[in-house]
């Protein structure tokens, strides 16, 4: 079917590599080339922090052996793309070399945001996304750093704070909002995370916004100034105020872009045989009711790659993302979310159940519509099973049914404290419900069932 057809994928992150691997499984004959200037081999981006902290070497972040690519006839081209000639179907590299394609997949990911702050390009100022960013951070913090400042909350910010704290570099964390990640988390969860950050001796400063980064005579950062006029001496600044699609080199051409590369639900752009997936793709219509036009999450990138591979193999497939979920860590507190739990909601339309352990590091939130049907949950400090909530959302379970069966969702080993028992008790106190509260097993009693 494919003959000598050549599929070129720009970007070897989770989206691009997943697309290449799945396309090869579906089509033995198509020629596939992965292009990346960042690294020759695919690596786990989420593991970069552990390389910095010395828990693993960079090669340990590569899930496939180097021979994997040749064995599966996936060609690798380590180079940076300068521009694309869509009329002649050629990629032009910064070296001037060209590469022809029949189908082109753009999977170039994200880049750290910069908002035009004075001093944002000084030495010692950087974001954290790429392998090159990791190497730069290792160089920038090797010596002579008595304090670091991180600008912007969120998941990359908390990762960078943990990395620096591990190296015993004091950190001031500037968050312009009133609560940590409070555009995503409800106020109770935001407060829980903020308190936990402070307990780790990280100087979290809420409602503190960057005005200027100040440099010394050599062009290196020496301080930051906030909008309140405070000056904080520092030798390293991490810019972690979100990411945006890495598409600067694509703008100004016939390819339709906005914040990202515009695509339909089949990942097709406005140019025939050109597709975009992953962080850099922007849907022209929402893929589902609770989804955003740009999805910058690891598992959605994987799903993009799997879906597009079907289309490229001659099996046209539209993207069906299913129910939203995500997971992360705030230092040593694990976080999971399933379904729809916004930062705030209309209480005339939505009921909220919230339970928090007295220790302040474990919490459970469930949102219900006024008929009592599950909308979504947040979970902090213990693990619950994804397949349980995927089924509950698909089958539109009531909140009472979810809570009554919560023991089945428990992911932690049996000898962990069974928090679901206390959650069941509290839900019954607040909402009632005709169900029995779970009883701890013998092993739980032996190790202590009290939470």
């Amino acid at each position: 079917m494919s003959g000598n057809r050549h599929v070129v994928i720009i970007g070897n992150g989770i989206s691009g590599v997943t697309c290449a691997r799945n396309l090869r499984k579906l089509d033995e004959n198509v020629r596939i080339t992965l292009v990346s200037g960042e690294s020759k081999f695919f690596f786990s981006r989420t593991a970069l922090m552990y390389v910095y902290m010395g828990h693993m070497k960079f090669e340990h972040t590569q899930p496939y052996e180097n021979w994997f690519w040749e064995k599966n006839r996936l060609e690798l081209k380590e180079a940076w793309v300068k521009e694309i000639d869509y009329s002649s179907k050629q990629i032009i590299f910064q070296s001037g070399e060209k590469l022809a394609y029949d189908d082109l997949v753009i999977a170039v990911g994200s880049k750290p945001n910069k908002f035009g702050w004075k001093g944002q390009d000084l030495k010692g100022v950087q974001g954290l996304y790429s392998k090159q960013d990791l190497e730069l951070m290792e160089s920038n913090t090797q010596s002579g750093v008595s304090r670091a400042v991180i600008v912007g909350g969120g998941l990359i910010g908390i990762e960078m704070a943990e990395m620096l704290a591990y190296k015993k570099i004091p950190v001031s964390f500037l968050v312009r909002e009133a609560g940590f990640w409070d555009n995503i988390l409800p106020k109770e969860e935001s407060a829980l995370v903020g308190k936990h950050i402070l307990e780790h001796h990280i100087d979290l400063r809420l409602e503190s916004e960057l005005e200027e980064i100040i440099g010394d005579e050599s062009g290196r950062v020496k301080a930051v100034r906030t909008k309140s006029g405070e000056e904080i001496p520092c030798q390293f600044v991490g810019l972690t105020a979100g990411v945006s699609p890495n598409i600067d080199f694509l703008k100004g051409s016939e390819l339709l872009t906005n914040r990202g590369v515009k695509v339909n639900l089949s990942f097709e752009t406005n140019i025939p045989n050109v597709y975009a997936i992953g962080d850099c793709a922007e849907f022209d219509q929402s893929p589902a009711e609770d989804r955003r036009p740009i999805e910058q999450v690891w598992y959605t990138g994987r799903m993009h790659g799997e879906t597009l591979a079907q289309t490229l193999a001659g099996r046209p497939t539209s993207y069906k993302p299913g129910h939203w979920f995500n997971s992360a860590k705030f230092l040593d507190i694990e976080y999971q979310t399933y379904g729809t739990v916004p930062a705030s909601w209309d209480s005339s339309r939505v009921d909220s159940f919230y339970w928090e352990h007295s220790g302040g590091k474990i919490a459970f939130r469930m949102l219900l519509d006024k008929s009592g049907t599950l909308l979504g949950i947040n979970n902090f400090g213990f693990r619950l099973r994804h397949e349980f909530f995927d089924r509950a959302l698909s089958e539109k379970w009531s909140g009472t049914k979810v809570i009554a069966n919560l023991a089945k969702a428990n992911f932690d080993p049996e000898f962990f404290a069974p928090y679901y028992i206390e959650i069941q008790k509290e839900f019954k106190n607040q909402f009632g419900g005709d169900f029995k509260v779970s009883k701890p097993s013998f092993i739980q009693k032996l190790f202590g069932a009290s939470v």
Side-chain angles (χ1 to χ4, degrees):
M1 184 202 92
S2 56
N4 294 318
R5 187 166 66 102
H6 187 199
V7 175
V8 174
I9 302 170
I10 306 176
N12 70 346
I14 186 63
S15 302
V17 165
T18 300
C19 183
R21 289 180 56 246
N22 280 269
L23 179 56
R24 174 56 73 226
K25 290 177 186 177
L26 296 166
D27 190 330
E28 294 183 356
N29 299 314
V30 64
R31 180 186 172 196
I32 304 171
T33 301
L34 281 159
V35 175
S36 173
E38 180 183 14
S39 63
K40 183 175 182 180
F41 301 111
F42 167 61
F43 66 92
S44 174
R45 201 170 297 283
T46 55
L48 289 178
M49 65 180 292
Y50 301 110
V51 177
Y52 179 87
M53 293 190 292
H55 298 322
M56 60 173 61
K57 295 180 179 180
F58 182 77
E59 53 265 32
H60 299 154
T61 70
Q62 297 171 184
Y64 305 108
E65 299 287 351
N66 293 352
W67 50 257
F68 170 87
W69 310 99
E70 185 175 355
K71 178 184 176 182
N72 289 279
R73 291 175 294 113
L74 299 172
E75 300 175 30
L76 305 178
K77 176 68 174 178
E78 193 172 4
W80 296 103
V81 176
K82 180 182 179 183
E83 59 184 314
I84 301 166
D85 186 336
Y86 302 103
S87 59
S88 65
K89 289 190 167 185
Q90 286 188 318
I91 294 171
I92 303 166
F93 298 110
Q94 289 185 355
S95 65
E97 186 183 357
K98 297 180 180 180
L99 180 67
Y101 66 84
D102 295 299
D103 292 287
L104 177 65
V105 179
I106 299 169
V108 291
S110 295
K111 63 175 182 177
N113 283 332
K114 290 184 176 181
F115 294 104
W117 294 296
K118 185 177 179 182
Q120 67 182 20
D121 296 318
L122 289 167
K123 295 175 185 175
V125 180
Q126 64 166 102
L128 180 62
Y129 183 85
S130 68
K131 177 176 181 283
Q132 285 74 23
D133 291 335
L134 170 68
E135 293 166 348
L136 183 61
M137 186 172 173
E138 288 173 331
S139 173
N140 279 332
T141 59
Q142 193 167 16
S143 62
V145 178
S146 58
R147 176 161 293 275
V149 170
I150 294 173
V151 180
L155 300 181
I156 296 177
I158 195 69
E159 283 187 1
M160 186 178 275
E162 183 175 358
M163 292 160 70
L164 292 163
Y166 184 84
K167 294 280 184 82
K168 302 192 185 311
I169 296 173
V171 177
S172 291
F173 203 162
L174 307 186
V175 176
R176 68 177 182 175
E177 292 81 19
F180 185 83
W181 215 30
D182 71 355
N183 62 324
I184 302 293
L185 297 178
K187 64 179 181 179
E188 289 87 355
E189 289 96 311
S190 175
L192 181 151
V193 174
K195 180 182 176 184
H196 190 63
I197 292 169
L198 290 169
E199 287 176 355
H200 277 71
H201 309 292
I202 293 167
D203 177 29
L204 176 62
R205 302 187 182 208
L206 300 175
E207 298 182 282
S208 185
E209 193 168 351
L210 178 67
E211 174 70 27
E212 176 187 358
I213 305 170
I214 304 166
D216 62 17
E217 300 78 11
S218 68
R220 178 169 290 276
V221 59
K222 69 173 185 179
V224 302
R225 184 179 293 115
T226 68
K227 289 203 170 177
S228 68
E230 181 184 9
E231 198 168 295
I232 306 172
C234 59
Q235 298 76 40
F236 177 84
V237 175
L239 301 180
T240 64
V243 295
S244 54
N246 184 29
I247 63 167
D248 288 349
F249 75 104
L250 298 169
K251 292 181 176 179
S253 70
E254 59 266 46
L255 183 70
L256 187 60
T257 64
N258 183 35
R259 288 182 56 223
V261 179
K262 297 291 285 184
V263 297
N264 61 20
L265 293 181
S266 297
F267 302 102
E268 296 168 324
T269 70
N270 63 306
I271 299 175
N273 303 104
V274 178
Y275 307 84
I277 55 176
D279 284 17
C280 70
E282 180 179 357
F283 293 106
D284 55 17
Q285 66 181 89
S286 177
E289 185 179 345
D290 58 349
R291 304 306 264 261
R292 298 182 179 185
I294 299 176
E295 299 185 326
Q296 295 166 319
V297 179
W298 183 90
Y299 86 88
T300 57
R302 186 194 66 213
M303 290 177 70
H304 290 190
E306 291 169 346
T307 303
L308 181 57
Q310 295 284 334
T311 296
L312 292 172
R315 308 173 186 179
T317 306
S318 290
Y319 179 51
K320 294 181 176 61
H323 301 293
W324 172 255
F325 73 93
N326 198 7
S327 63
K329 283 188 74 175
F330 298 100
L331 301 167
D332 52 354
I333 293 181
E334 292 191 59
Y335 158 70
Q336 296 168 295
T337 187
Y338 301 99
T340 303
V341 185
S344 60
W345 51 85
D346 181 352
S347 58
S348 69
R349 296 171 177 267
V350 174
D351 284 329
S352 170
F353 166 71
Y354 182 73
W355 169 85
E356 185 175 310
H357 181 246
S358 59
K361 300 182 189 301
I362 298 157
F364 178 87
R365 162 97 58 193
M366 182 168 62
L367 293 189
L368 311 169
D369 67 19
K370 285 299 181 178
S371 71
T373 302
L374 175 68
L375 296 174
I377 72 111
N378 277 347
N379 188 59
F380 285 81
F382 67 114
R383 289 177 293 171
L384 296 172
R385 296 184 184 278
H386 171 241
E387 58 270 22
F388 176 90
F389 288 100
D390 195 56
R391 179 183 175 189
L393 288 162
S394 294
E395 297 179 1
K396 300 185 184 302
W397 285 12
S398 68
T400 301
K401 183 174 181 179
V402 171
I403 294 295
N405 288 279
L406 201 57
K408 298 175 183 176
N410 190 45
F411 187 87
D412 286 326
E414 194 174 12
F415 53 81
F416 274 51
Y419 298 110
Y420 59 86
I421 297 174
E422 294 303 314
I423 293 169
Q424 288 176 328
K425 289 178 181 177
E426 184 60 28
F427 183 86
K428 205 158 192 175
N429 288 339
Q430 291 186 32
F431 288 84
D434 185 19
F435 65 90
K436 292 182 179 180
V437 173
S438 302
K439 292 182 179 180
S441 70
F442 169 77
I443 292 178
Q444 289 165 341
K445 288 177 181 176
L446 186 66
F447 282 86
S450 173
V451 296

